[in-house]
Amino acid sequence: MIDVLITGALGVMGGYVRAAIEQTDDIRIVAGVDLTASDALPYPVYASLDDVKESPQVVLDFSHFSALTSVLNYCISHKTAVVICTTGHSMEQRAEIAAAAKEIPVFFSANMSLGVNLIKRLSQDAAGVLENAFDIELLEKHHNRKIDAPSGTAVMLAEAINESLLHKKHFVYERQSRHEKRGADELGIHSIRGGSTVGEHSVFFYGEDEVVELTHIAHSRKIFATGAVSALRYISQKNPGLYNMDNLFAEEQSVTEIRTLPHQTVFHLMGRITPDLFTKVFELIAKASISVDLITFSFSGVISHLSFSVDNRFSSAISDLIGDLMEKHALTLDMMADLTRITVKGPGMEFEAGVGARVFSTLNAAGIPPLAVGTSEEKIVLLVPGKLADKAEEVLKKEYA
């Protein structure tokens, strides 16, 4: 059972979090803190953290950014993990959060919605593709009682987009005081406040004659409570450090797809493979319009090892294409046919350590040897004997079910 203390316990979000926790069987609220003490709830609500008598494992902070120092001091002195759900922090306060994370587990995200954090990922992907030809603008809308502008979520999205760009942009907030055309190095951020709008965030990519728009609309604050519960469950098991929604996604979505491609042949060349020779091999293959899949290369001393895979039906053509090069440069060749490529993929892989170890130990326990391996941030590609492919797919899917 995870014992939780809620700051801002009597606020609107405190109520939503209380309702969300009541639906769980592994979390309980042992105390709350708010500006005014209260005995109206099933647990005590104190006016100050100094008055708390209980010993929570996690503090869930839905108070106000001005209370940050007192919340962090309490958590550090009691060695308690904290989930910070408030926004509007200054750069100095962010530094304070980072410093606290050296002593306690801290989960900090400008938005606890899983959907918003998906939009962040999609925006980063889109920005990486559209950077050179599209202008980027952000628009956020909130209720008329929200104090900070732009929202913490809008800033989070803007910073995440900037991280994915080769040429960083500077943020321009509104445009009413600017009498000049839009610069290519700008990223505009705009705010609207009105009515009871819970929260709406849109990222626009404006190109010539086309617009790409990514939008998240929150219809209820319940979504933030749901995300906060996931965060406190996550942080309760962690060592000191600074964690966010990317880390949570990594644990929940480290592997989301396992697929196979049969009938592959791998060529393994060994010898003195210079950069010119390396290039020549692939130029010959490209001129023959043959697609190459998995490529690995290593150099040890004077011997190089170059491996690549193609569909079985091209294996004879490849042998003919590189035959003269092999003879001229005294290369040796190992070739294995009828292999199956297995792709293990997931958006959280780049944030989670040990994915490779888990994949390889699962295959090893089943007696399946990987014959070639390639990796990227979000996937592991490996070749296994074709006759063992079904078994490999079965054990990996069972491992990540």
Side-chain angles (χ1 to χ4, degrees):
M1 186 68 69
I2 304 171
D3 291 339
V4 178
L5 166 69
I6 300 178
T7 59
L10 301 181
V12 174
M13 282 308 306
Y16 282 116
V17 170
R18 182 170 67 251
I21 289 177
E22 287 174 353
Q23 302 302 312
T24 72
D25 55 10
D26 62 333
I27 305 171
R28 65 184 175 190
I29 304 171
V30 297
V33 172
D34 211 291
L35 293 176
T36 304
S38 173
D39 58 2
L41 296 176
Y43 48 84
V45 176
Y46 302 98
S48 170
L49 282 164
D50 295 331
D51 301 329
V52 175
K53 300 178 178 63
E54 290 71 19
S55 300
Q57 295 166 258
V58 182
V59 171
L60 188 56
D61 179 30
F62 270 108
S63 57
H64 188 269
F65 64 82
S66 61
L68 176 70
T69 299
S70 62
V71 171
L72 291 179
N73 286 343
Y74 172 88
C75 293
I76 291 171
S77 63
H78 291 80
K79 300 300 179 185
T80 303
V82 60
V83 178
I84 301 172
C85 303
T86 54
T87 62
H89 300 97
S90 65
M91 294 306 295
E92 291 77 14
Q93 287 178 311
R94 288 194 182 192
E96 193 176 349
I97 292 170
K102 296 178 181 179
E103 301 184 54
I104 58 173
V106 177
F107 192 104
F108 176 54
S109 177
N111 194 300
M112 289 293 168
S113 160
L114 299 179
V116 162
N117 283 275
L118 175 60
I119 288 293
K120 183 182 80 168
R121 276 183 165 275
L122 295 174
S123 297
Q124 288 181 301
D125 291 342
V129 174
L130 304 176
E131 173 180 359
N132 294 327
F134 285 69
D135 297 321
I136 307 174
E137 296 281 313
L138 272 69
L139 173 65
E140 57 96 354
K141 306 174 185 178
H142 282 87
H143 51 84
N144 55 22
R145 299 174 305 284
K146 186 170 179 61
I147 298 173
D148 56 317
S151 68
T153 300
V155 175
M156 176 188 75
L157 290 171
E159 291 176 344
I161 289 170
N162 234 4
E163 288 176 6
S164 66
L165 300 177
L166 291 176
H167 304 287
K168 308 305 180 189
K169 298 184 182 295
H170 71 271
F171 302 158
V172 174
Y173 303 95
E174 313 301 341
R175 298 196 64 86
Q176 67 271 17
S177 62
R178 300 170 68 90
H179 301 283
E180 56 190 27
K181 70 176 185 178
R182 187 191 193 283
D185 61 345
E186 295 180 9
L187 194 160
I189 304 176
H190 312 272
S191 300
I192 293 176
R193 297 290 176 265
S196 58
T197 303
V198 174
E200 182 175 331
H201 294 85
S202 297
V203 182
F204 299 93
F205 298 88
Y206 289 99
E208 290 295 328
D209 303 318
E210 59 180 331
V211 177
V212 177
E213 176 182 346
L214 296 171
T215 296
H216 176 271
I217 301 174
H219 293 292
S220 167
R221 291 182 177 84
K222 292 179 182 178
I223 63 172
F224 308 125
T226 300
V229 169
S230 297
L232 72 85
R233 187 179 282 121
Y234 171 87
I235 203 68
S236 68
Q237 306 296 322
K238 299 304 176 185
N239 295 320
L242 185 58
Y243 304 87
N244 56 32
M245 279 292 183
D246 287 335
N247 302 115
L248 191 152
F249 275 151
E251 193 159 289
E252 294 186 348
Q253 297 184 314
S254 60
V255 171
T256 57
E257 181 182 359
I258 297 170
R259 64 176 187 267
T260 62
L261 180 66
H263 313 307
Q264 301 295 297
T265 296
V266 65
F267 288 81
H268 182 64
L269 304 178
M270 294 167 288
R272 294 178 60 87
I273 304 175
T274 64
D276 287 342
L277 179 55
F278 182 98
T279 303
K280 186 63 174 178
V281 168
F282 292 104
E283 285 179 343
L284 290 172
I285 296 172
K287 287 180 181 178
S289 300
I290 298 174
S291 296
V292 176
D293 188 16
L294 182 64
I295 301 173
T296 61
F297 180 77
S298 62
F299 174 78
S300 56
V302 297
I303 301 298
S304 300
H305 301 263
L306 170 62
S307 298
F308 57 89
S309 62
V310 299
D311 190 279
N312 279 348
R313 67 183 187 274
F314 299 121
S315 57
S316 296
I318 295 288
S319 297
D320 293 339
L321 287 169
I322 64 175
D324 290 341
L325 287 178
M326 290 180 55
E327 183 176 350
K328 179 178 179 181
H329 296 278
L331 302 180
T332 59
L333 170 67
D334 283 335
M335 187 175 75
M336 291 178 286
D338 297 321
L339 307 180
T340 293
R341 184 187 73 186
I342 298 180
T343 301
V344 181
K345 186 177 181 181
M349 287 177 65
E350 65 174 304
F351 302 103
E352 182 181 0
V355 177
R358 186 175 174 185
V359 168
F360 301 138
S361 62
T362 299
L363 293 174
N364 185 59
I368 302 170
L371 302 176
V373 179
T375 67
S376 67
E377 289 180 339
E378 295 189 352
K379 67 181 177 181
I380 296 173
V381 180
L382 48 92
L383 294 170
V384 302
K387 62 183 179 181
L388 298 177
D390 290 343
K391 184 178 181 182
E393 183 179 14
E394 178 185 349
V395 297
L396 286 172
K397 286 185 175 180
K398 181 177 180 181
E399 176 68 19
Y400 286 99

